[in-house]
Amino acid sequence: MSGAITVARAAWGDDLPDWVLQLAEACEASSQNKVAARLGRSAALVSNVLRRKYPGDMAAVEDLVRGTFMRATIDCPANGTISTADCRNWQLQARTYTNENSERVRMRRACRRCARFQKGEDA
């Protein structure tokens, strides 16, 4: 056991969530930069999560990791079954309005009515 898993275990201790362990395992299987690219986030974010120092929305990162590496899905009212990572990305885009394409407009409307989006806005 070395590298990212060791860092995560040291930082999180007995509270190490399964999704953080999965993130660490993915980093060891390839690289932190490649994992970050798959998540669509920075390597610094990945590093901070592994070290339990990320000040941002940890639930959002969890959704990305679960959707990208653990194949977690949700039932989207607009798109059917999608990964939690795709859901998070649509939610992020739904925060601002743009009419660049009809799917983005449709998803903004759908996301803003969705309980998952509304729950995220309250946090």
Side-chain angles (χ1 to χ4, degrees):
M1 185 170 74
S2 66
I5 294 174
T6 302
V7 167
R9 287 194 193 283
W12 289 85
D14 291 338
D15 296 334
L16 179 66
D18 63 335
W19 65 271
V20 175
L21 179 59
Q22 182 67 45
L23 181 66
E25 289 171 351
C27 288
E28 288 200 4
S30 61
S31 75
Q32 193 167 295
N33 285 333
K34 288 179 183 177
V35 168
R38 282 191 64 192
L39 293 173
R41 301 300 186 269
S42 70
L45 176 140
V46 173
S47 176
N48 285 331
V49 168
L50 293 175
R51 287 171 171 70
R52 201 175 186 174
K53 293 183 178 184
Y54 181 62
D57 185 356
M58 203 65 96
V61 179
E62 179 180 358
D63 276 350
L64 291 172
V65 172
R66 288 188 183 282
T68 304
F69 297 107
M70 302 171 82
R71 293 188 165 94
T73 61
I74 58 111
D75 186 28
C76 173
N79 281 348
T81 303
I82 62 173
S83 76
T84 56
D86 287 343
C87 177
R88 266 302 163 173
N89 288 329
W90 279 118
Q91 287 182 47
L92 185 63
Q93 291 181 37
R95 290 183 181 155
T96 58
Y97 178 77
T98 179
N99 62 354
E100 66 189 40
N101 65 49
S102 60
E103 183 179 23
R104 177 103 185 250
V105 172
R106 180 180 66 82
M107 287 305 296
R108 181 175 194 276
R109 288 180 184 142
C111 285
R112 295 192 67 81
R113 288 190 304 261
C114 179
R116 277 182 63 92
F117 180 85
Q118 292 168 359
K119 181 180 176 184
E121 279 193 334
D122 294 341

